[in-house]
Amino acid sequence: MASIPTRREAAERYANLPQVRRWRDGNYEPGAWFNSDPESPESPWGNWGREFKPTRRGITTVDLNRAFDDVPDQGAGLVVDRGGGADAGATRWEYPLNQRYEVWAYNLESLLEEAISRQWSATSDLPWDKLEPLPDDQERAMCQFLSFLHPVEFTPTDILPHYMMRVDPSFPEVRQFMATQCADESRHMEAFGKRMFANGGGPGIEPTAEALLSMSADTLSSALKPEDHPDVIGPTNPRATWEFLGMSYSVQMMGEAVVLDFFRFGEFLGRNPCDKEMFRRVLQDEARHVSFGTMRIKYYLDHAPAEERERALEMLHYFASVDEATASGFGLLINPNVIEPFALMAAGSTGELDKGWDMVREFWAGCVEEYLARCDRAGFPRRDKCLIPREAPF
Amino acid sequence: MSDFPSVDFFRVLQRRMNDNSDKFRALGFTDSRAVFAVRADDELEDDRYFGAVFEVYDCTEICELEASEVEAYDPDWILEADCADWREMIANIRAEGAADSDHTLNRLSLLGHPFRIHGVDQTRVDVFHRQQLSYQEFFDQAAEG
Amino acid sequence: MSEKRERLRTLEMPRLRPRPLPPREEVVANQSRHFQTVKLSRGELGHWFHTPLDGGEWSEWGKRARPDAVGMTYMAVTEVCDRPVPEVQAYRRLMHSRFVKPSPRVPENLEERLAPKWGGAREIEEKYEVWIDDAGPLAEEALDRQWRPALSLRWEDMQRLPPPLERAFDQILTWLLQCEYFCSDAVGGYVGRLHYRFVEIKSYLAYEIFDYALHANALRKRLLSNGGGMGAQVEGFDAGLLEVCNEASQGFSGEVPRDFNAVVLAIDVWLNGVMLDLLRLAAAGARSEFDRRLLERVMQDCARHVSWGCKRIGCYLRDAPPEREAAERLHAVADRFEPAQVEGHLLNPRVLEPLALLLGGGPENAAAGWSVLREFWPQIGERWLARLDAVGLNRRDRCQVPTQPPF
C-alpha cells in the first residue's frame, strides 16, 4: 500500500509537476493530444474526420457502425471507448471478455437503440387511474402472481454489472445494452411492487417458499438432483461466476423467455387498462432481452474458433438440460404460486377452474414451442433433447 | 373509414400514424416488415394479405399481396385471423375508442387463436412483442371514425 | 506495449465442465411424479389462496395507494404501507422484499443453507450500510428525470465547430466517457450485494448505472458525428480510486465484508462531483446550443448522483454503530484517493487544456481560458469540503485538494 503524503508533500508534488510548472510560467501550449496530426499513427489521438448526418432517428449506433465498420475482433485493452487513442506505452488491461465473438450479438446495435428509445416510467406511464376493483379472488391471484415477479424480475440486475465490467470498452454497445436491461428490470420490479399496493390486494405469500421446501424434502428439487449440477444451480442462482455465454442462455434467453410468456399471459388476463398496459410494457422490454440472448448465442456459435465452438455447444447443452429440468424451466412452470394464480385468473372465478387449467395447458405448449424455436434459431437445436415436457404434465 | 379488409383501410391507418409522429415518438422506434393475413370465412370469399413496413415513427408502405408474394415480401411477422375476427377487433376499437381488455393484439394472439402471430424466424417474430405498444396504437387509430 | 494487468476486480469466471446427467427418460419420469406436478394435477388451489388475508401469511390486504401529482410514486405506496422503511432485521432470505412475510413453514436450518451470508444479496443487509432518508423520492427523481435521447436531443441541431474547438470538445467528452464507464463498473457490483429489503436503493442504483450508459451512448454519438472523433485516453483519471474500489470490494469474492460506503464516497460524492464541476466548465465553453444542452443533461444526472452519495454518507455517519468507526474509515479512504485524483483530473493536461481552449474560444485565446480555470479551480475543492461538512465529515484540516490552483 502506497504511503499517504502529508498535505505539504502533496502540495509540493503538485507544484512541481512539469505541466503545472509550464502553466505557471504562462506556457499554455497544449500537448500532443492537440498538436499531433490526429491521423498519424504516432498521435495519441483516436480517430478524426468522423462525420454523420442525422436521420429521422437522430444518430443511432446502427448507422454509425454501418458507416464506420470499426468493430474489432479483439478489444484493445484500453480504458477508453472504441476508437480512442492512447500513448504508445499506455497500460493494456486484461478484460476477461475481450473477443468480439464472446460478447457481440447480431442485432446488438438495433436492440440498444430500441432499448434507449423505449424506456418508460412505472410511476407516470401507466394509467393508474384506470385501475378497476377486481373480485377478491381475482385480485388475490393477480397479487400472488406479482409477488413472485417482483423480486424475480430484478435478479438479472444483481449479476449483469459483473459482466459489464468484464467487457473490453472496445465493445461499448454490449456494456450499454446490459445497462439498459438493468434499468428495465428495476422498472419491472418497481411496477409490480406498486401494482400490489394499488388495488386492494397487497403482497401475497412468500412466492418461493414452495420451491425452498421442495429442496429440503427427499423429493427431487425439480426432477434433477442438485448434486448433478452443483456448478449451475445454487442458492444464489443465477451466479455472476458463470461463463458469459451460459449466463446469456440461462438468464437472457431461457429464464426471460419463460417470463416473457408469463407477461404475455398477464396481458391476456388483465381486466383493466392499467394491468393491460403494465404487462404490455414489460413484455416489450423482456422480448428485447430474449432477442439479445438468442442472437448473442448465435453470434458466438457462428464466429468462435471451431474448437471453442464445440466446447461451447457442449456447455450450452449441459446448461440447457439443467435449466430446462430445474428452476428456470420446469421448476418455474410448475411453481404453484405462479401457475395456480394463472389458472384462477384465466378461469375468471373459482367455479370455472377447469376452464382456467385448460388455458394454462395451452399456454404451456405455446411457451415450450417458442423456446424451442429460439434454440433452433440460436444454432443449438433442442427438440430431441429438451427436458421440459412439450405438454403440461398435469 | 374504409371497409375492412381493403388496402384503403390500412392506408388510412398509415396516414394517421404518419400524421401523429409525436405520439409514436413517445412510444419508441419501430422497425419491421409485417403482413396482415385475413383468412376467408363466411364473410370473405378468398384469403387476403396486406404488407406493411414500419420505419422509425412512420408506416412507410402499405400494399396488398397475393398469397404467392407473401414469402418474397419477407415479413418479420405475420398477424393472421379469420375475417370475422379481424372485423370484431376493429368494431371493438371503434366502439371503445381503443381496444378493450378482450381485444388487444397480445390477448387475441396469445394462444394462437383467434389470431395467430408467426413467421419463419422466432427472433424476428419477437419484434412484434418488442414494439407492441406501437402496433397496438397503429390499430387503435381505427377508432377515429 | 507494457504488461497486461487486471483492472477493477470481480469474480472469477471459470470455464464450466459439463457433468453427466441422468437419462432423459429418468428425468421425465421424475417430472411426472414430482410432488408439485401431482398437486397441480388435482387442480386445486394451494396455500396462497387459503391463508387468511388478515393474520395469516398475506400482507396488507385492502390497502389502496392512490397516485399523487407525479403518478404512482414510492411515496404514494408507502403512504398506505405498514413497512414504509426497512426496520425489520430478520429477513435472511435472498430475493425477499420487506413487503412479503417470510413463510414460517421454511425451517431455520434450510434458511441458513439456502441463504448464506456471503456471495449474494445478504452481504450488505444492515440498514445503516444501505438506507437513506427519503429513498423513495430520490429513486423517483432518478426515474422522472431520466432523459430519452429520442425526445430530448435534436441531433439535427448539431453545429459544425472550427477544428481546434471540435478537437478540444471531443477531448473533454473522451475523458468524460472514461469516467462514465469507471463509475458504472465501480458501483455495479454492489447492486447484487444489497438486500432486497432495500428495493428503493437497489432500484436507484440500477437507474444510476443506466444513466452512465445513456451518457456514454450519447457522448459516443456526438464524438463520432461532427467532424472530429474519439480523443486521447486520459491516463490516471482513475488513480487512487481503482485501489480504493478494489480494496472495498475484495474482488467480490471470499467471506469478507465489502465497504459499500467507501465506494459511494469515492464514486458518487467525489468523482461525480468532479465530473459535475468540470462539466459546468465545459458547458460554459460549449460553442453550440446542442453541445450545451447535451452537457446540461449529463450534469443534471451527475448532480443527482452526488446528492444520493451525500445522503448515503450522511446516514452512514449518523447510523453506523460506534465500533464501525465510520468517520475514520471514510477519512482513510479519502486520504488514499485525493492526491492521486488531483493529479488525475484537476491537474491533468488532457483535461484542463481542452477546457481552457473551449473557455478561451480557441488556441489563440488560451490565456483567457486559463484565467477562467484559475478562478474556478478553488471552487472544486471547496465544494467537496462543503458537501462533506454538510454530511458530518469535516476534512478541512486533512484534505489534500488544494484550495488554490498551483498553476
Side-chain angles (χ1 to χ4, degrees):
Chain A
M1 185 165 137
S3 65
I4 314 275
T6 64
R7 293 178 84 179
R8 187 176 175 159
E9 286 167 346
E12 277 174 17
R13 181 176 161 79
Y14 302 147
N16 286 313
L17 290 168
Q19 73 272 23
V20 171
R21 293 220 305 260
R22 192 157 50 79
W23 297 333
R24 214 165 39 232
D25 294 342
N27 177 357
Y28 301 129
E29 186 64 23
W33 71 268
F34 186 79
N35 283 326
S36 59
D37 174 357
E39 298 186 77
S40 147
E42 281 77 43
S43 170
W45 191 265
N47 45 36
W48 188 254
R50 297 293 166 111
E51 216 168 335
F52 195 85
K53 196 168 160 31
T55 66
R56 281 198 64 221
R57 290 166 209 260
I59 290 181
T60 70
T61 310
V62 180
D63 296 330
L64 286 178
N65 284 2
R66 194 174 292 147
F68 302 136
D69 191 23
D70 63 350
V71 185
D73 288 337
Q74 180 169 341
L78 296 169
V79 291
V80 71
D81 217 274
R82 182 170 72 247
D87 296 312
T91 307
R92 302 280 163 164
W93 301 93
E94 278 191 32
Y95 294 96
L97 298 168
N98 64 1
Q99 302 294 318
R100 181 176 179 179
Y101 75 83
E102 292 178 310
V103 297
W104 204 256
Y106 277 112
N107 50 356
L108 173 61
E109 298 104 315
S110 59
L111 287 176
L112 171 61
E113 290 303 328
E114 192 170 295
I116 289 174
S117 142
R118 287 185 178 267
Q119 291 294 307
W120 55 282
S121 160
T123 302
S124 53
D125 282 331
L126 298 180
W128 292 104
D129 55 336
K130 291 185 179 160
L131 262 179
E132 295 157 6
L134 300 176
D136 281 0
D137 61 353
Q138 293 298 305
E139 179 65 18
R140 187 168 183 157
M142 172 64 89
C143 284
Q144 184 58 49
F145 176 44
L146 296 176
S147 300
F148 166 77
L149 293 175
H150 179 249
V152 161
E153 268 306 277
F154 199 81
T155 321
T157 310
D158 280 350
I159 62 164
L160 283 172
H162 290 277
Y163 293 95
M164 287 158 61
M165 67 199 284
R166 291 166 174 145
V167 175
D168 189 292
S170 300
F171 309 108
E173 298 88 343
V174 181
R175 286 168 160 257
Q176 290 167 21
F177 179 79
M178 285 196 279
T180 67
Q181 187 177 347
C182 289
D184 293 344
E185 308 290 11
S186 176
R187 190 170 47 247
H188 300 174
M189 177 173 78
E190 197 179 315
F192 296 143
K194 289 174 174 177
R195 169 61 184 83
M196 287 192 285
F197 282 96
N199 209 25
I205 70 167
E206 185 181 354
T208 49
E210 305 291 338
L212 297 181
L213 287 167
S214 76
M215 292 171 89
S216 72
D218 289 337
T219 328
L220 296 167
S221 76
S222 287
L224 270 187
K225 294 177 189 145
E227 55 267 33
D228 286 335
H229 48 84
D231 35 12
V232 180
I233 299 294
T236 54
N237 175 35
R239 293 177 182 175
T241 52
W242 290 348
E243 283 185 49
F244 189 29
L245 192 66
M247 189 284 292
S248 276
Y249 163 76
S250 184
V251 176
Q252 293 171 310
M253 181 176 160
M254 166 71 173
E256 301 249 321
V258 175
V259 173
L260 165 63
D261 284 326
F262 281 174
F263 292 163
R264 292 182 63 200
F265 208 51
E267 200 274 354
F268 176 87
L269 299 174
R271 302 313 300 167
N272 60 65
C274 182
D275 288 344
K276 285 267 181 196
E277 177 89 7
M278 176 176 72
F279 282 114
R280 209 177 292 146
R281 285 191 180 266
V282 295
L283 80 81
Q284 280 194 158
D285 297 340
E286 214 72 355
R288 207 160 52 231
H289 310 157
V290 174
S291 186
F292 173 77
T294 308
M295 298 311 277
R296 202 179 94 58
I297 291 170
K298 179 167 173 53
Y299 190 91
Y300 194 109
L301 296 176
D302 286 351
H303 292 85
E307 199 176 315
E308 170 55 24
R309 181 178 183 279
E310 290 311 307
R311 192 202 69 83
L313 262 176
E314 191 190 3
M315 186 269 293
L316 275 174
H317 278 300
Y318 170 64
F319 242 102
S321 292
V322 173
D323 265 10
E324 286 163 2
T326 60
S328 311
F330 182 73
L332 201 52
L333 287 167
I334 59 161
N335 184 335
N337 290 335
V338 181
I339 297 300
E340 289 174 8
F342 257 28
L344 180 52
M345 286 193 284
S349 71
T350 47
E352 301 280 338
L353 256 183
D354 285 349
K355 193 179 89 183
W357 284 115
D358 285 345
M359 216 175 268
V360 168
R361 282 187 273 271
E362 273 194 80
F363 161 79
W364 179 301
C367 180
V368 177
E369 177 52 37
E370 283 191 5
Y371 162 69
L372 290 172
R374 287 192 190 97
C375 290
D376 291 343
R377 185 74 180 98
F380 72 114
R382 296 282 304 164
R383 289 183 186 276
D384 59 346
K385 297 184 179 68
C386 182
L387 294 180
I388 312 177
R390 303 289 281 270
E391 306 288 335
F394 46 81
Chain B
M1 183 133 184
S2 311
D3 283 344
F4 182 89
S6 68
V7 79
D8 285 348
F9 171 85
F10 285 105
R11 288 217 167 111
V12 170
L13 298 186
Q14 176 190 31
R15 197 187 65 236
R16 289 176 181 170
M17 179 175 185
N18 298 350
D19 289 346
N20 285 292
S21 61
D22 281 353
K23 190 183 336 180
F24 284 87
R25 183 181 279 267
L27 298 174
F29 300 147
T30 56
D31 277 295
S32 71
R33 299 176 68 81
V35 163
F36 304 112
V38 187
R39 292 280 172 223
D41 59 6
D42 292 347
E43 299 181 14
L44 183 71
E45 200 167 324
D46 296 310
D47 294 347
R48 295 184 66 178
Y49 302 89
F50 301 90
V53 176
F54 296 95
E55 282 182 6
V56 199
Y57 311 116
D58 288 343
C59 176
T60 55
E61 180 177 304
I62 288 289
C63 61
E64 181 153 13
L65 303 165
E66 296 295 329
S68 58
E69 295 171 327
V70 169
E71 190 181 340
Y73 196 71
D74 192 28
D76 293 299
W77 45 272
I78 299 170
L79 186 65
E80 176 182 322
D82 288 350
C83 183
D85 294 317
W86 277 104
R87 282 183 173 151
E88 183 188 327
M89 179 184 85
I90 292 158
N92 173 265
I93 288 170
R94 285 177 179 159
E96 302 292 328
D100 74 3
S101 297
D102 291 328
H103 293 86
T104 58
L105 294 179
N106 178 68
R107 182 176 170 96
L108 292 170
S109 63
L110 181 77
L111 299 177
H113 58 83
F115 279 59
R116 187 170 159 241
I117 180 78
H118 62 101
V120 292
D121 176 344
Q122 182 61 42
T123 59
R124 292 174 67 192
V125 176
D126 284 342
V127 177
F128 170 76
H129 305 311
R130 281 166 30 201
Q131 304 175 348
Q132 199 171 100
L133 286 166
S134 302
Y135 304 128
Q136 184 67 60
E137 188 63 40
F138 177 76
F139 278 104
D140 281 353
Q141 295 177 116
E144 293 173 22
Chain C
M1 188 185 289
S2 58
E3 67 173 308
K4 288 201 164 203
R5 286 198 281 146
E6 189 184 31
R7 215 171 129 67
L8 272 172
R9 290 169 53 212
T10 187
L11 297 154
E12 289 292 314
M13 200 173 47
R15 294 199 147 197
L16 193 85
R17 293 168 62 178
R19 293 161 185 264
L21 293 174
R24 190 174 180 215
E25 299 69 33
E26 189 183 319
V27 174
V28 171
N30 284 338
Q31 287 173 333
S32 61
R33 61 170 182 259
H34 190 280
F35 81 108
Q36 287 176 345
T37 307
V38 173
K39 181 177 178 301
L40 290 175
S41 300
R42 289 199 293 270
E44 296 162 0
L45 300 177
H47 185 65
W48 67 272
F49 191 72
H50 299 293
T51 188
L53 292 171
D54 191 13
E57 286 177 49
W58 202 273
S59 347
E60 318 260 10
W61 182 263
K63 302 284 175 62
R64 274 199 176 78
R66 291 277 167 259
D68 58 27
V70 181
M72 187 62 81
T73 59
Y74 278 121
M75 296 77 87
V77 168
T78 52
E79 185 86 7
V80 301
C81 167
D82 279 345
R83 297 179 189 84
V85 290
E87 298 293 351
V88 185
Q89 298 282 323
Y91 290 2
R92 281 226 181 85
R93 303 274 216 285
L94 304 167
M95 293 179 56
H96 201 309
S97 89
R98 67 180 185 272
F99 304 117
V100 175
K101 290 183 191 170
S103 169
R105 294 172 299 142
V106 178
E108 202 174 320
N109 61 343
L110 176 63
E111 187 178 60
E112 281 293 340
R113 186 157 67 84
L114 296 175
K117 166 73 178 169
W118 304 107
R122 276 196 59 212
E123 283 197 351
I124 303 173
E125 60 180 346
E126 297 292 338
K127 186 180 167 190
Y128 78 83
E129 293 178 289
V130 186
W131 191 247
I132 61 167
D133 299 338
D134 302 325
L138 197 69
E140 289 295 343
E141 188 185 332
L143 190 65
D144 197 45
R145 293 199 175 273
Q146 208 172 68
W147 43 294
R148 303 180 192 187
L151 300 172
S152 315
L153 292 176
R154 299 278 172 184
W155 292 95
E156 59 272 25
D157 294 343
M158 203 165 40
Q159 286 174 18
R160 289 301 297 269
L161 301 179
L165 289 173
E166 178 66 27
R167 193 157 174 175
F169 193 70
D170 291 354
Q171 180 57 35
I172 276 298
L173 297 196
T174 303
W175 162 78
L176 190 55
L177 260 178
Q178 292 178 238
C179 294
E180 302 285 354
Y181 286 123
F182 186 80
C183 290
S184 177
D185 289 353
V187 170
Y190 286 89
V191 179
R193 305 297 164 129
L194 305 186
H195 198 278
Y196 275 80
R197 275 197 297 146
F198 313 107
V199 285
E200 293 92 333
I201 307 293
K202 286 174 88 82
S203 212
Y204 167 79
L205 287 178
Y207 294 138
E208 183 172 319
I209 290 167
F210 175 76
D211 288 342
Y212 296 130
L214 190 62
H215 300 170
N217 182 273
L219 296 173
R220 179 175 172 82
K221 288 172 180 170
R222 168 63 185 80
L223 276 161
L224 295 179
S225 57
N226 203 34
M230 206 64 77
Q233 172 173 286
V234 178
E235 294 281 335
F237 79 102
D238 50 7
L241 297 181
L242 199 57
E243 294 77 9
V244 162
C245 290
N246 279 333
E247 279 168 25
S249 73
Q250 292 292 306
F252 294 102
S253 65
E255 299 189 354
V256 292
R258 324 280 168 210
D259 195 347
F260 177 49
N261 289 286
V263 175
V264 172
L265 180 74
I267 300 299
D268 290 285
V269 185
W270 167 260
L271 185 49
N272 270 275
V274 168
M275 289 158 70
L276 174 59
D277 276 332
L278 299 189
L279 272 165
R280 291 177 63 203
L281 284 168
R287 297 288 135 182
S288 78
E289 190 178 338
F290 176 88
D291 289 346
R292 195 165 51 250
R293 282 191 184 282
L294 170 65
L295 296 182
E296 283 168 355
R297 291 279 179 185
V298 179
M299 275 161 58
Q300 183 169 275
D301 294 340
C302 284
R304 189 170 58 251
H305 305 160
V306 172
S307 172
W308 138 259
C310 288
K311 286 187 180 187
R312 173 80 287 277
I313 297 299
C315 292
Y316 178 59
L317 289 167
R318 185 192 65 195
D319 299 337
E323 64 274 17
R324 179 83 184 163
E325 298 180 319
E328 188 45 43
R329 277 168 180 263
L330 293 174
H331 277 305
V333 166
D335 288 344
R336 293 287 308 282
F337 68 67
E338 277 175 350
Q341 281 288 287
V342 169
E343 287 185 43
H345 301 277
L346 306 183
L347 296 175
N348 193 318
R350 287 187 184 171
V351 180
L352 292 201
E353 287 172 0
L355 282 174
L357 288 182
L358 287 170
L359 290 162
E364 65 288 351
N365 206 14
W370 281 99
S371 164
V372 175
L373 272 183
R374 260 191 211 97
E375 195 177 332
F376 185 88
W377 208 87
Q379 294 183 38
I380 302 172
E382 176 50 37
R383 253 190 290 279
W384 161 242
L385 287 171
R387 287 184 188 118
L388 296 181
D389 287 344
V391 301
L393 190 74
N394 185 339
R395 275 187 67 74
R396 288 191 180 270
D397 59 351
R398 197 163 171 170
C399 179
Q400 310 218 38
V401 184
T403 50
Q404 292 302 317
F407 50 87

